[in-house]
Amino acid sequence: MSRIAAKELLKHALEHNYAVGYFESWDLQSTLAMVRAAEHVKSPVMIGVCGTYIGEAKRRYKESLDVYYAMLSRIAEEASVPVALLLNESDDEDMVIKAAEIGFDMVMFAPVFASDTLPLKELTEIQKRIVNKAHAYGVAVEGEVGELPLFNSATGELHEGEDTDPEVCRNFVLETGIDAVAVAVGNCHLKEDGNVTINYDALQTLAREIDIPLVLHGGTSIAHEDLSKAASMGVAKVNFGTGMKRAAINAVKAYMSEHDVDKMDPNDILGRGAGKDMIVKEQEAVMAYVEETIRALNGENKAF
């Protein structure tokens, strides 16, 4: 099996007591590494890109969502494990709808990096429009209720969030018709230490009262033992991005410190894909991160 509908994948995760890892890619090599890792541990996986980053106004060069989709979809189709595609956390409603049109399996509107939080009423109306159009294409929609804390690793500053209110969440799910909901229960965006405190009482209440799959963003902030416990409590998907990028950066730093690249063939460093290739080292670092994370999510050997 290769491509799979997101709703089917999340349903399987809930039925078999694991959480699907969503691993957010930034280029071809990272995407290949994520899927290869999932194949190695025989796990379903969700891959995709961050809509906010792709559409970032400050990008030096404009990116094409169609190009990213073509890359992601081809890799997914050739995979030996179930793979679903997500356009994650876009703050552009038009981009979200386009992603549904061109074939992503799940889409998400969430202005998480905006300076001002959207009023709930406005967010509800946007989500209803997206659900209406996405469902017409057979595409699932993820929403978010509550606000995750946001950590700035460059400054050490933490923007406080707001835990998900079960009643607000229940009403939002019913009114919008979303298919999965990201919740805030102590998890934190962009924090790398795996040291947050998960509010299990709040998570248990949400799992009991919300009848669609629950999602945790900020997976890098969560300790592995907490990932396993959350997966056993009804969390169907956990998102990861920052930790993989840190693993890739550290691999490149180590390579540069261990090799005198000025005295090496540039084609050995980039392109040949052999033992001296820096990109291979980067890929292997990402693969190790993803494999370890999938095991923490109870996802190993859950491919179907």
Side-chain angles (χ1 to χ4, degrees), residues 24 50-53 56 88-92 108-118 123 127 142-151 159-161 182-184 187-190 217-218 239:
E24 190 162 276
C50 177
T52 299
Y53 292 160
E56 170 61 61
N88 186 45
E89 292 176 339
S90 175
D91 56 6
D92 181 342
M108 183 184 189
F109 175 86
V112 293
F113 303 113
S115 57
D116 296 315
T117 304
L118 278 178
L123 178 60
Q127 290 287 19
E142 179 179 340
E144 183 173 41
V145 179
E147 182 186 2
L148 264 65
L150 183 64
F151 184 74
H159 170 75
E160 297 293 339
V183 297
N187 40 323
C188 181
H189 265 130
L190 308 183
H217 287 226
N239 286 24

Side-chain angles (χ1 to χ4, degrees), residues 34-295:
M34 294 163 196
V35 174
R36 286 169 181 162
E39 290 177 324
H40 284 175
V41 295
K42 298 179 174 59
S43 172
V45 70
M46 193 175 290
I47 60 174
V49 290
C50 177
T52 299
Y53 292 160
I54 296 300
E56 170 61 61
K58 295 179 181 178
R59 288 191 81 101
R60 290 287 296 274
Y61 307 105
K62 186 177 180 180
E63 301 285 359
S64 166
L65 185 62
D66 295 272
V67 170
Y68 278 93
Y69 174 75
M71 173 190 71
L72 292 162
S73 61
R74 187 64 182 179
I75 291 172
E77 286 160 8
E78 293 187 358
S80 62
V81 295
V83 182
L85 306 184
L86 169 67
L87 176 71
N88 186 45
E89 292 176 339
S90 175
D91 56 6
D92 181 342
E93 183 179 351
D94 291 337
M95 178 188 284
V96 174
I97 292 169
K98 179 179 179 179
E101 291 173 347
I102 65 177
F104 278 83
D105 302 301
M106 178 179 276
V107 295
M108 183 184 189
F109 175 86
V112 293
F113 303 113
S115 57
D116 296 315
T117 304
L118 278 178
L120 182 60
K121 183 177 180 181
E122 184 179 348
L123 178 60
T124 300
E125 291 305 313
I126 292 172
Q127 290 287 19
K128 286 166 67 175
R129 291 195 297 268
I130 290 172
V131 166
N132 182 54
K133 294 184 178 180
H135 282 183
Y137 293 105
V139 174
V141 179
E142 179 179 340
E144 183 173 41
V145 179
E147 182 186 2
L148 264 65
L150 183 64
F151 184 74
N152 186 328
S153 58
T155 65
E157 295 177 352
L158 179 68
H159 170 75
E160 297 293 339
E162 181 179 353
D163 283 358
T164 301
D165 181 290
E167 183 176 357
V168 172
C169 187
R170 184 172 56 249
N171 292 336
F172 184 80
V173 168
L174 289 172
E175 189 166 356
T176 61
I178 57 175
D179 304 288
V181 61
V183 297
V185 289
N187 40 323
C188 181
H189 265 130
L190 308 183
K191 202 167 190 291
E192 301 178 49
D193 60 6
N195 199 32
V196 298
T197 299
I198 297 298
N199 185 337
Y200 285 112
D201 289 339
L203 182 58
Q204 186 175 47
T205 298
L206 289 164
R208 183 177 62 247
E209 297 193 11
I210 307 302
D211 61 0
I212 62 172
L214 301 182
V215 177
L216 296 181
H217 287 226
T220 304
S221 71
I222 305 172
H224 279 187
E225 56 268 29
D226 288 322
L227 291 175
S228 297
K229 186 172 181 179
S232 70
M233 291 176 64
V235 170
K237 177 170 75 75
V238 184
N239 286 24
F240 300 87
T242 304
M244 289 180 299
K245 290 180 179 178
R246 182 64 67 189
I249 291 166
N250 287 343
V252 172
K253 286 170 60 180
Y255 184 97
M256 297 300 290
S257 68
E258 295 166 4
H259 294 80
D260 187 353
V261 295
D262 291 332
K263 296 180 180 179
M264 294 173 64
D265 182 345
N267 297 289
D268 285 337
I269 301 170
L270 295 172
R272 284 206 168 98
K276 294 181 180 179
D277 196 311
M278 182 170 63
I279 302 304
V280 170
K281 301 302 183 185
E282 179 184 336
Q283 277 194 318
E284 289 175 345
V286 173
M287 289 169 65
Y289 180 96
V290 172
E291 289 180 23
E292 185 179 0
T293 301
I294 286 173
R295 292 188 180 101

